[in-house]
């Protein structure tokens, strides 16, 4: 079956986003200590450097992670100790306190924009809010409590690239240079095609989706069951890669970020998440993600499925491009020691809830998910 649209997990780029007036900035864009970077890992790299974490430092990191933040700490020269995260992606707070007590710093990650643990006392803290732009916890915005915070606007906003680092005290870290213009133009073109693939015009949607299907390596890999091999591999990097990731962002990214209505993004994402919850998908989400606490701006809707590969193909047949969530940890992690996370690594799948999706798109996501799940 081939669908006449393509809905991805990350937001595409609407031409409107480039042209509109600057919006009143929401946290973290209203903070003087913020610097935009090319990638999120570059933001982590700058945060580590600004806090003086490098050779001779120990850092406590979660056993459930993307991998590129661990790679930044490894390349900075830190010794990494992992703390336990359970099968429901809840941090074991006792283990975090124990590991942090023997470390110079603790690295905390918000999963999918949901709350992260309180900062352990007595150590430097980096909050990784790569999933949590515009997300608030009970005591304030995620990323506002640590000594430094890392963001990844490209995941939430629909921009060609972009990470961001925030230092709680002191000036914002300096970034040098910009990414390759040609690569950024390609990225912008593919984001514009992604916008066309969800447009109101059926002809436009269908032409754009066909074009993307022909050119997307990820879609081809999902269909051939090789998605994991294609999406991982963000390690074995070199210091030069981190320095490049820590350069400034594409000028187009900076322009769009300035024009983004963060409160609107959060409200639309919440509405879309609620549509999937009300539609009955809650029972397939890991327990902590079955309700949406106030203030959370969800990155996506996590589902736990036994046959993820086949489910992804069934979704793609209906024009929904789901995502495997962190199938492989960083090689520094002893997978046997943290084996409670293995089911999450093989079963978690993300569905789109981004702000450019309207209720009619969400009906399609819901219908596709139900038919892919209930067989
Ligand atoms: C939690 C977390 N931190 C950091 C990063 C690094 O972001 P980037 O891929 O932009 O370097 C990611 C990326 O997937 C992430 O999920």
């Amino acid at each position: 079956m081939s669908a006449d649209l393509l809905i991805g997990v990350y937001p595409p780029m609407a031409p409107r986003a480039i042209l509109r007036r600057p919006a009143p900035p929401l946290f973290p864009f209203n903070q003087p200590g913020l610097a935009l970077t090319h990638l999120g890992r570059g933001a982590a790299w700058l945060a580590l450097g600004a806090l003086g974490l490098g050779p001779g430092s120990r850092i406590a990191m979660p056993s459930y992670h993307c991998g590129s933040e661990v790679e930044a700490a490894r390349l900075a020269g830190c010794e990494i100790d992992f703390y336990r995260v359970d099968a429901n992606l809840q941090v074991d707070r006792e283990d975090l306190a124990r590991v942090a007590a023997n470390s110079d710093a603790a690295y905390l990650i918000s999963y999918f924009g949901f709350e992260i643990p309180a900062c352990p006392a007595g150590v430097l803290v980096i909050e990784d809010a790569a999933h949590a732009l515009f997300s608030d916890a009970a005591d304030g915005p995620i990323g506002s409590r640590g000594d430094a915070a890392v963001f990844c606007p490209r995941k939430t906003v629909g921009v060609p690239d972009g990470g961001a680092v925030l230092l709680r005290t002191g000036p914002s870290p300096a970034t040098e240079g910009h990414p390759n213009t040609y690569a950024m133009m390609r990225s912008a073109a593919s984001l514009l095609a992604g916008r066309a693939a969800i447009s109101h015009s059926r002809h436009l949607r269908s032409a754009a989706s066909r074009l993307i299907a022909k050119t997307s390596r990820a879609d081809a890999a999902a269909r051939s069951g090789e998605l994991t091999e294609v999406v991982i591999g963000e390690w074995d990097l070199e210091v030069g890669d981190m320095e490049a990731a820590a350069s400034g962002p594409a000028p187009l990214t900076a322009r769009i970020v300035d024009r983004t209505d963060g409160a609107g993004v959060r409200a639309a994402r919440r509405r879309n998440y609620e549509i999937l919850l009300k539609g009955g998908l809650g029972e397939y989400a890991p327990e902590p993600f079955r309700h949406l606490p106030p203030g959370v701006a969800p990155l996506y809707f996590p589902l736990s499925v036994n046959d993820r590969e086949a489910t992804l193909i069934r979704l793609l047949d209906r024009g929904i491009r789901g995502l495997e969530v962190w199938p492989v940890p960083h090689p520094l992690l002893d997978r046997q020691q943290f084996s409670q996370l293995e089911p999450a690594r093989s079963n978690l799948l993300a569905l789109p809830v981004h702000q450019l999706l309207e209720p009619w798109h969400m009906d399609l996501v819901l219908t596709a998910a139900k038919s892919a799940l209930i067989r």
Side-chain angles (χ1 to χ4, degrees):
M1 195 201 298
S2 89
D4 72 349
L5 91 175
L6 188 61
I7 302 177
V9 164
Y10 295 123
M13 186 167 83
R16 218 183 28 234
I18 309 168
L19 301 172
R20 66 162 77 100
R21 285 162 197 263
L26 198 66
F27 181 89
F29 298 113
N30 54 7
Q31 299 294 303
L34 187 82
L36 292 180
T37 60
H38 172 45
L39 293 176
R41 71 203 70 177
W45 173 257
L46 289 175
L48 292 159
L51 297 182
L53 297 164
S57 312
R58 293 190 86 83
I59 183 164
M61 299 191 90
S63 47
Y64 192 62
H65 49 245
C66 152
S68 49
E69 66 295 68
V70 178
E71 188 66 353
R74 180 187 77 81
L75 285 167
C78 298
E79 285 292 320
I80 298 163
D81 281 330
F82 293 101
Y83 55 86
R84 247 194 301 278
V85 179
D86 74 16
N88 271 324
L89 312 191
Q90 297 300 285
V91 167
D92 176 335
R93 295 183 190 222
E94 272 177 30
D95 203 45
L96 166 59
R98 181 186 65 77
V99 179
N102 294 313
S103 304
D104 303 291
Y107 196 96
L108 310 174
I109 299 181
S110 160
Y111 301 128
F112 325 141
F114 286 65
E115 191 159 10
I116 54 182
C119 298
V123 287
L124 292 165
V125 173
I126 299 177
E127 285 187 275
D128 185 324
H131 286 189
L133 190 64
F134 308 135
S135 216
D136 283 352
D139 58 352
I142 296 181
S144 62
R145 297 172 305 178
D147 298 281
V150 170
F151 301 88
C152 203
R154 74 191 178 100
K155 294 191 199 307
T156 307
V157 173
V159 282
D161 69 339
V165 53
L166 174 66
L167 296 184
R168 198 156 54 127
T169 54
S172 64
T175 58
E176 276 171 41
H178 287 286
N180 177 281
T181 306
Y182 176 68
M184 290 301 96
M185 280 169 63
R186 278 190 51 165
S187 170
S190 106
L191 288 167
L192 287 168
R195 176 68 188 90
I198 57 169
S199 85
H200 282 268
S201 151
R202 185 172 192 161
H203 289 303
L204 186 58
R205 279 202 312 264
S206 143
S209 329
R210 278 201 307 272
L211 177 73
I212 296 170
K214 251 195 231 154
T215 52
S216 164
R217 246 176 97 218
D219 288 9
R223 291 200 178 279
S224 61
E226 288 163 349
L227 189 58
T228 306
E229 290 76 1
V230 169
V231 297
I232 61 156
E234 305 281 83
W235 28 85
D236 277 342
L237 300 180
E238 293 174 5
V239 165
D241 297 312
M242 283 299 157
E243 287 170 349
S247 75
L252 184 58
T253 296
R255 182 180 167 91
I256 294 177
V257 161
D258 269 353
R259 285 162 172 73
T260 299
D261 163 19
V265 167
R266 179 170 52 212
R269 286 177 172 271
R270 290 182 62 81
R271 177 200 63 211
N272 291 342
Y273 198 99
E274 291 288 2
I275 289 175
L276 299 187
L277 280 179
K278 289 201 182 96
L281 295 193
E283 64 178 288
Y284 298 96
E287 208 279 325
F289 305 97
R290 291 181 185 174
H291 74 279
L292 193 55
V296 165
L299 183 68
Y300 42 61
F301 191 101
L303 293 178
S304 185
V305 295
N306 289 329
D307 54 349
R308 181 169 62 187
E309 216 171 85
T311 308
L312 283 167
I313 295 174
R314 291 197 286 269
L315 287 168
L316 208 46
D317 283 341
R318 289 173 168 259
I320 314 302
R321 191 202 274 155
L323 199 79
E324 286 187 336
V325 184
W326 295 349
V328 182
H330 192 281
L332 282 178
L333 185 91
D334 177 345
R335 289 179 77 157
Q336 274 199 326
Q337 192 188 340
F338 296 97
S339 59
Q340 65 278 22
L341 281 168
E342 290 301 311
R345 297 197 203 289
S346 50
N347 297 348
L348 268 190
L349 174 163
L351 289 179
V353 297
H354 67 72
Q355 63 276 12
L356 293 182
L357 300 176
E358 299 171 22
W360 68 272
H361 296 110
M362 294 313 299
D363 286 344
L364 294 173
V365 174
L366 182 61
T367 311
K370 281 184 156 171
S371 97
L373 289 166
I374 304 159
R375 323 212 105 222

